[in-house]
Amino acid sequence: MRDGRERWAAAVPGGRPRAGGERAAGVRRSLVLALALAVPTLIAVTAAAVALGVRFEECAGPEEGAAAAATRGPGRRGRQRAEEEEAAAARPWRESRLPGSLRPRHYDLRVDVGMDNFTFAGDVSIQVECVNATRFVVLHAHALQVSSVSVTADGPGGGAVRVQRRFLFPANQMLVAVLHRELKASRTYRVNVSFHAAIQDELLGFFRSSYTLDGERRYLAVTQFSPTHARKAFPCFDEPAYKATFSLSLRHDPQYTSLANMPTESVADGDGWITRRFARTPRMSTYYLAWAVCNFTSRETRSDGGVAIRLFARPDAIASGAGDYSLHITKRLLGFYQDFFQVQYSLPKLDLLAVPKHPYAAMENWGLSVFVEQKVLLDARVSSASYRMELTMVVVHEICHQWFGDLVTPVWWEDVWLKEGFAHYFEYVGTDFLFPKWNMEKQRFLTDVLHEVMLLDGLSSSHAISQEVRDAADIHRVFDWIAYKKGAALIRMLANVMGQRVFRKGLNAYLLSHMYGNAARDDLWRKLSEAMRSEGRDVDVGAVMDGWTLQMGYPVVTVSKSRSERPATRYVTVSQERFLYGQGGRGNSSLRWQVPLTVAMGNGSRVCSETLIWIHNKTETHRVGEMDDGTWLLGNVNQTGYFRVNYDLQNWNLLIRQLRADPQVISVGNRAGLIDDAFNLARAGYLPQGVPLQLIGYLAEETAFLPWHAASRALYQLDKLLDRTDDYALFSVSPSLARQPVASTLCLCGLCLWQDYVLKQVASRYHQMGWPSNAANGDGGGLRASDQTEELQRELIMLACSFGKKECHRRAVAYISDWISSNKNRIPPNIRDVIYCTGVSLMDEDVWEFIWMKFHSSDAVSEKKILLEALTCSDDAFLLNRLLNLSLTSDLVAEQDAVDVVVHVGRNPRGRKLAWRFFRDKWDVLNARYGEALFMNSRLINGVTEFLNMEAELSELKDFIQSNGVEAGPALVRALEVVEGNVRWHRLHRRHFYEWLREAPGPSRR
């Protein structure tokens, strides 16, 4: 090239003059020859550059590849030509999503599982339809060794399509095959891949676990593919919309059995191995495919419709009957959901698999739901009512997913709440079907879902329930309590507005329209709107709900009587604004919701009327009925709406007066809602600090569990804010002081006001409810708790022991001492967690060692859980540090339980600094272990930071985020906002809080 340019330069004017035609002809011949040589050279160089560019994708990381692409400029060919060539040479594997040119129809998958060396190898043949002509086969593969890739055309005239090259592109976890010729649109092909990998000791993909039986260590291998981990077990189109059918064969040692989504179709022996072939699945997403290889045993029953229901677990757990309860309720639940949705369960069998370790409580794989043992095995002799309730709700949740999730799957992860929100809502509806007296949907839903998620959604760092997800790295961010609990709360609000009959009609249409396929939120809104119109109600559900799903947060609705000259009025003024714990983002006029506000009016003896008002604007006036100065207003009747309600101080005082005079006039749900709203409005600065404390002054007359539960949650939150301030020494008794005689340490100068204030609320009802009848001293100490009141009894005992009631401490110590001396555990199961924790906190190191020994020797999974948590209650820093370090040894503490250890130590005032330091020192280890597990990392971060409340700790958190924040994602951003809020509360509200306590009535006798 350089020589050519010099020849042309010699001919320009100003060069040396040339003479004669012969020399000119020679020049022309030279030019022709040069052109003849240059053209093929240019073609060859271009081809080589393209080949090297593709090859470079094989070798370079994403940053290197991007940098290299940026340096390949258009040169002199012009921008237009460069853009055309760039478009022609598009590299779809560089995009975070699959290109869409190919769609899978069916997978034939064979996996050989080596349990002796924890490896697996397999072959997958994927029938694909070519949607758009392409030379590239792009699918997902991660942490797999690929040994061969081939492509063949289906049908007449088919045959092999030569693969020019194949390579892995780790940046997007993709496997790429570049073909010699294009695949033709509307034709079907076979993509065949052979692969092998290790069965990992982590909790995602295809992983191994173990347990001990009769002193022998036994192993099992199981899959966890949600959300993006099927690609770790076999090459596949690992996005929810790429549904296909699957035919699976597992080959393994005959001493094991194997399970999958479908029933066994055939079993063959050969070469000392067994090959089990499973029936073909319906169309499903890759992350619902599942299999397991284990030596478990099982129990079986059948639904009324003939569906085989089996529970697989450790042989000793099956022999003891620990799985019978879950098996029984699953049978009932299949019938319930089929009746509720009017859509039959789609598979011939449903297996429940109990595994020793798992990253989540459970996973709803179609036909093979996998549970961590403590969420599906129940030992009735030692399990508490609260444990049975929690286990029940997990099973109810997973069975619901067989419809919402498995049968109808969200198109993409931005609408994951379409499955998780429904499953979480039906936890309460389905549990009500099983146990109507538990009254879950109308009561426990409020404290366990609505109140809990509003704590998160009241932060400026919250997010919309439907949020954009561009690539795989963002997927884990949508799996949080906003998707689960806010989704459930919005579904409940919508069901109440529509009415249950119309709501069920819309759900049936939605499921039937999209079964075996995918759906987005607009598909749901469309079917619910059609159901409304069929009843003569022309409501655009999407227009109403988009404000709730596409905006973050929720409103605080303020209700007050309209001012008029007459003593009576018929109108209320209603305003809405976004509720925020921090004051920085308040007054944002762009956020508005269509709010279905129910307003009740009442007086001292009854509720006079109830009205539904739709609020659209910032401030509105509505007619509700005649009111006088003594009429109180109550918004959000039964707490069916997803918002908080505030009032002017006059109305708050009227409601407080009503609760003290006759609380039963206001419903149980609204009594709990008033408590939760008042404490959180005060914490955020919307209300004076004394209002919620005045409000709970009526609790001595409260006979229902739910308001007590709401109050105890609020009191514990407040207590954790106070427990390390200088002033708190005036209001509390430390664990070490608590072990001394009452007279010497009970109150310093009579100023233990906070502790005494709480115990004053608790005392009357605590003594009336008493303790469970089989107390250690043989005296029940009061009425025996019935099924309806045992939760309240436990709540009161927990409050009394936690806030230092001496009689409660003495009973707890007596229970533990009796257990140690007799080696017989006579502690009632329903209060064991309270007694264990109280005993460990008050007694010496020998008791801690005793509980540690019992934790290792117990076979009951529910008992192991509360024993481990009790160990975190010690006030001995040495023991807490020892436990934190032991938690990282998986042979001693299961990996999913280690998170509980760190979190519970962090909740212990004596362990908070230790857990916070441990978390920072071990961050690399913890993040490597739990970073990909959807909930574990965020739960860990929240648990060790939520009660940090000092300026120094806030600075430490900021420093840590600066160093590690990118890796931890949004969890640390939320943590920072929470800690900033804790520090701000101390700065703005602590003094007013203490002033109110000092002016409150004096302490009661304890």
Side-chain angles (χ1 to χ4, degrees):
M1 291 288 291
R2 184 176 178 185
D3 287 343
R5 285 198 299 269
E6 289 174 349
R7 290 194 187 98
W8 279 108
V12 300
R16 182 171 152 183
R18 308 214 176 219
E22 184 175 338
R23 294 187 68 183
V27 169
R28 285 194 294 271
R29 286 194 297 270
S30 298
L31 290 175
V32 170
L33 179 62
L35 286 171
L37 292 172
V39 170
T41 301
L42 180 63
I43 294 172
V45 170
T46 302
V50 171
L52 286 171
V54 173
R55 178 63 184 168
F56 185 77
E57 297 289 355
E58 299 179 44
C59 306
E63 294 81 10
E64 294 174 302
T71 63
R72 294 193 290 267
R76 298 185 178 183
R77 291 175 295 177
R79 181 177 297 276
Q80 182 177 357
R81 177 68 181 271
E83 290 175 350
E84 290 173 354
E85 290 190 1
E86 185 176 331
R91 298 181 178 90
W93 54 89
R94 297 183 64 84
E95 300 296 323
S96 60
R97 299 280 299 275
L98 292 173
S101 301
L102 302 176
R103 296 194 67 86
R105 286 185 172 182
H106 178 72
Y107 292 77
D108 283 305
L109 175 61
R110 180 189 63 83
V111 181
D112 296 345
V113 182
M115 294 298 293
D116 56 340
N117 59 2
F118 302 121
T119 62
F120 68 98
D123 303 291
V124 63
S125 178
I126 313 171
Q127 184 186 47
V128 298
E129 176 189 359
C130 183
V131 179
N132 302 306
T134 181
R135 284 186 58 222
F136 303 113
V137 176
V138 182
L139 62 163
H140 287 111
H142 182 49
L144 296 174
Q145 298 294 320
V146 175
S147 51
S148 69
V149 178
S150 65
V151 179
T152 58
D154 283 344
V161 180
R162 184 158 65 88
V163 177
Q164 272 192 341
R165 63 185 60 83
R166 60 175 170 83
F167 58 91
L168 293 168
F169 189 67
N172 288 328
Q173 301 179 355
M174 288 177 179
L175 169 64
V176 182
V178 182
L179 306 180
H180 182 67
R181 61 178 174 85
E182 280 192 339
L183 304 182
K184 296 179 179 179
S186 303
R187 294 277 307 268
T188 60
Y189 297 84
R190 284 272 174 179
V191 178
N192 310 294
V193 187
S194 297
F195 55 92
H196 61 276
I199 302 174
Q200 298 292 340
D201 192 23
E202 59 181 30
L203 300 177
L204 300 169
F206 188 25
F207 68 94
R208 67 182 185 265
S209 182
S210 66
Y211 63 98
T212 302
L213 183 66
D214 298 330
E216 176 191 358
R217 174 78 72 179
R218 296 190 176 188
Y219 290 92
L220 64 145
V222 65
T223 59
Q224 170 56 42
F225 289 163
S226 176
T228 58
H229 304 293
R231 63 193 68 175
K232 293 181 178 180
F234 66 106
C236 56
F237 296 83
D238 200 13
E239 291 180 7
Y242 289 89
K243 285 195 167 186
T245 55
F246 295 81
S247 295
L248 172 67
S249 296
L250 294 176
R251 183 171 174 263
H252 53 81
D253 190 304
Q255 68 173 302
Y256 294 92
T257 189
S258 52
L259 306 169
N261 304 82
M262 298 296 288
T264 299
E265 195 170 67
S266 64
V267 179
D269 295 322
D271 300 327
W273 291 69
I274 188 172
T275 301
R276 189 180 300 272
R277 181 173 177 82
F278 298 93
R280 187 182 183 119
T281 72
R283 289 185 72 242
M284 58 191 285
S285 301
T286 49
Y287 73 92
Y288 283 132
L289 186 68
W291 64 79
V293 177
C294 59
N295 45 24
F296 285 172
T297 55
S298 66
R299 291 277 181 92
E300 182 174 348
T301 187
R302 285 192 175 269
S303 72
D304 294 338
V307 175
I309 305 169
R310 303 180 298 179
L311 189 143
F312 287 81
R314 292 177 283 110
D316 53 332
I318 292 296
S320 70
D324 293 353
Y325 173 79
S326 294
L327 201 61
H328 170 69
I329 64 172
T330 298
K331 175 181 177 179
R332 296 183 61 198
L333 285 167
L334 277 183
F336 164 73
Y337 283 127
Q338 289 179 147
D339 178 66
F340 194 100
F341 300 138
Q342 290 295 294
V343 177
Q344 295 297 301
Y345 176 69
S346 301
L347 304 187
K349 64 95 174 173
L350 174 57
D351 291 339
L352 313 182
L353 177 65
V355 298
K357 71 175 184 178
H358 197 266
Y360 317 120
M363 177 62 203
E364 68 274 11
N365 308 305
W366 211 354
L368 177 57
S369 290
V370 181
F371 298 77
V372 70
E373 287 182 336
Q374 65 193 42
K375 301 301 183 184
V376 73
L377 300 180
L378 178 73
D379 188 334
R381 300 168 302 163
V382 298
S383 298
S384 66
S386 60
Y387 179 87
R388 182 174 66 145
M389 179 184 294
E390 182 181 358
L391 182 150
T392 300
M393 294 171 70
V394 172
V395 175
V396 174
H397 180 110
E398 302 310 321
I399 304 306
C400 178
H401 271 314
Q402 306 296 309
W403 284 264
F404 284 90
D406 296 357
L407 184 63
V408 179
T409 310
V411 173
W412 184 238
W413 300 107
E414 62 193 8
D415 281 329
V416 71
W417 70 271
L418 280 179
K419 70 185 188 77
E420 297 301 347
F422 271 102
H424 207 64
Y425 170 65
F426 276 100
E427 282 184 30
Y428 295 82
V429 176
T431 303
D432 272 343
F433 163 75
L434 295 172
F435 303 103
K437 290 183 179 180
W438 288 5
N439 212 359
M440 300 294 290
E441 190 269 334
K442 287 184 170 59
Q443 294 194 15
R444 282 301 287 262
F445 187 95
L446 305 184
T447 53
D448 296 0
V449 179
L450 184 66
H451 298 171
E452 186 169 324
V453 73
M454 281 184 166
L455 290 171
L456 281 177
D457 209 18
L459 301 173
S460 61
S461 56
S462 184
H463 59 80
I465 193 173
S466 291
Q467 54 178 325
E468 186 176 14
V469 178
R470 294 193 174 187
D471 53 51
D474 292 329
I475 291 172
H476 73 282
R477 300 186 181 189
V478 303
F479 284 86
D480 62 7
W481 286 137
I482 299 294
Y484 283 66
K485 293 180 182 286
K486 183 175 181 177
L490 294 181
I491 290 164
R492 178 174 178 265
M493 179 173 73
L494 184 56
N496 277 277
V497 169
M498 294 181 65
Q500 287 294 326
R501 184 178 60 83
V502 182
F503 180 64
R504 290 174 66 171
K505 184 177 182 180
L507 293 189
N508 170 257
Y510 169 76
L511 290 172
L512 289 176
S513 297
H514 300 284
M515 60 196 308
Y516 305 111
N518 300 86
R521 60 182 176 274
D522 286 342
D523 298 312
L524 176 64
W525 303 150
R526 192 176 302 111
K527 292 303 176 182
L528 294 178
S529 296
E530 290 173 4
M532 294 281 277
R533 284 195 291 272
S534 72
E535 300 292 321
R537 299 162 65 186
D538 191 11
V539 177
D540 185 346
V541 173
V544 174
M545 295 304 295
D546 277 350
W548 297 95
T549 59
L550 302 181
Q551 295 182 149
M552 68 172 70
Y554 57 88
V556 52
V557 177
T558 302
V559 183
S560 60
K561 297 172 189 174
S562 297
R563 302 302 177 189
S564 74
E565 296 179 357
R566 296 182 301 167
T569 182
R570 297 175 183 271
Y571 293 88
V572 294
T573 299
V574 184
S575 63
Q576 62 163 304
E577 64 174 299
R578 183 185 175 188
F579 177 89
L580 279 172
Y581 287 102
Q583 298 180 3
R586 292 186 190 172
N588 186 344
S589 60
S590 66
L591 294 183
R592 294 287 179 270
W593 292 265
Q594 296 191 43
V595 182
L597 174 67
T598 47
V599 179
M601 300 183 301
N603 53 36
S605 59
R606 64 189 179 91
V607 175
C608 305
S609 66
E610 184 178 318
T611 306
L612 172 63
I613 301 170
W614 280 96
I615 310 299
H616 303 276
N617 302 307
K618 181 175 176 60
T619 303
E620 299 179 6
T621 300
H622 291 267
R623 178 171 175 158
V624 295
E626 188 167 323
M627 299 169 285
D628 59 28
D629 288 342
T631 304
W632 46 257
L633 296 168
L634 181 68
N636 198 12
V637 176
N638 295 321
Q639 290 237 291
T640 56
Y642 184 70
F643 48 88
R644 297 198 186 278
V645 183
N646 196 9
Y647 312 94
D648 56 38
L649 288 179
Q650 181 184 6
N651 197 76
W652 276 111
N653 288 330
L654 289 171
L655 289 168
I656 290 169
R657 189 184 309 165
Q658 177 66 69
L659 290 172
R660 291 180 175 177
D662 185 1
Q664 304 301 320
V665 171
I666 298 174
S667 71
V668 170
N670 275 118
R671 299 201 298 272
L674 284 169
I675 292 169
D676 185 72
D677 277 350
F679 272 96
N680 283 281
L681 288 166
R683 182 175 179 180
Y686 294 90
L687 269 183
Q689 298 302 301
V691 171
L693 298 173
Q694 286 179 285
L695 182 71
I696 63 171
Y698 90 96
L699 283 175
E701 306 302 320
E702 181 58 77
T703 59
F705 163 75
L706 194 71
W708 274 106
H709 191 46
S712 70
R713 289 165 59 95
L715 292 170
Y716 285 128
Q717 288 282 336
L718 194 51
D719 188 63
K720 297 302 181 185
L721 277 177
L722 298 171
D723 62 15
R724 287 183 305 147
T725 66
D726 294 337
D727 296 306
Y728 188 70
L730 300 175
F731 306 113
S732 181
V733 179
S734 71
S736 58
L737 289 175
R739 290 197 289 270
Q740 299 179 24
V742 174
S744 65
T745 63
L746 184 59
C747 286
L748 305 177
C749 304
L751 293 178
C752 302
L753 301 182
W754 167 238
Q755 187 181 29
D756 285 334
Y757 177 80
V758 174
L759 291 177
K760 181 180 179 181
Q761 316 311 315
V762 174
S764 174
R765 189 59 54 188
Y766 167 80
H767 288 298
Q768 184 177 355
M769 294 296 298
W771 284 56
S773 59
N774 57 333
N777 60 7
D779 178 11
L783 298 175
R784 185 180 187 278
S786 67
D787 289 339
Q788 291 77 20
T789 59
E790 63 182 2
E791 284 184 294
L792 176 56
Q793 184 182 56
R794 177 184 176 276
E795 195 81 39
L796 292 166
I797 292 171
M798 185 164 58
L799 279 165
C801 280
S802 297
F803 282 88
K805 189 169 183 62
K806 300 306 173 184
E807 186 263 353
C808 189
H809 287 179
R810 286 193 294 269
R811 281 180 175 265
V813 169
Y815 268 128
I816 298 293
S817 298
D818 175 71
W819 184 16
I820 294 173
S821 62
S822 67
N823 203 29
K824 292 182 180 179
N825 191 342
R826 288 185 269 258
I827 305 171
N830 207 40
I831 59 170
R832 283 188 178 182
D833 58 338
V834 181
I835 301 305
Y836 292 174
C837 182
T838 305
V840 167
S841 70
L842 295 174
M843 302 171 78
D844 59 20
E845 184 177 347
D846 290 342
V847 172
W848 193 94
E849 295 288 356
F850 175 80
I851 297 294
W852 175 252
M853 179 265 293
K854 289 295 183 183
F855 163 70
H856 286 289
S857 62
S858 176
D859 292 325
V861 291
S862 61
E863 183 75 355
K864 290 181 77 71
K865 179 178 184 293
I866 60 174
L867 286 165
L868 183 61
E869 290 177 1
L871 292 166
T872 69
C873 298
S874 175
D875 67 347
D876 187 322
F878 171 78
L879 293 175
L880 293 176
N881 258 326
R882 176 183 167 195
L883 181 62
L884 287 170
N885 287 301
L886 288 172
S887 70
L888 294 181
T889 305
S890 57
D891 287 342
L892 298 176
V893 178
E895 289 184 21
Q896 70 267 11
D897 295 334
V899 173
D900 288 332
V901 170
V902 181
V903 168
H904 281 84
V905 171
R907 290 176 179 171
N908 179 347
R910 302 289 184 180
R912 193 159 307 148
K913 280 185 176 292
L914 302 177
W916 175 223
R917 186 185 306 117
F918 178 83
F919 171 80
R920 287 174 291 159
D921 291 345
K922 303 294 184 182
W923 168 249
D924 290 340
V925 175
L926 295 169
N927 194 45
R929 181 185 278 194
Y930 304 116
E932 285 192 280
L934 297 177
F935 278 102
M936 285 189 174
N937 225 21
S938 60
R939 183 167 179 269
L940 182 62
I941 291 168
N942 178 66
V944 298
T945 60
E946 62 179 328
F947 295 125
L948 300 179
N949 55 28
M950 303 171 72
E951 290 281 1
E953 292 166 336
L954 178 58
S955 296
E956 291 170 351
L957 178 57
K958 289 179 178 178
D959 291 342
F960 181 77
I961 290 175
Q962 189 172 3
S963 302
N964 303 280
V966 175
E967 296 178 11
L972 277 174
V973 178
R974 286 195 300 269
L976 178 62
E977 187 177 356
V978 169
V979 177
E980 287 175 336
N982 294 345
V983 172
R984 182 173 55 250
W985 185 90
H986 279 277
R987 185 176 68 251
L988 298 178
H989 305 304
R990 182 179 61 178
R991 183 173 61 84
H992 301 294
F993 174 80
Y994 288 144
E995 286 173 355
W996 189 92
L997 280 177
R998 291 185 179 103
E999 295 170 3
S1004 63
R1005 291 177 59 86
R1006 290 177 293 171

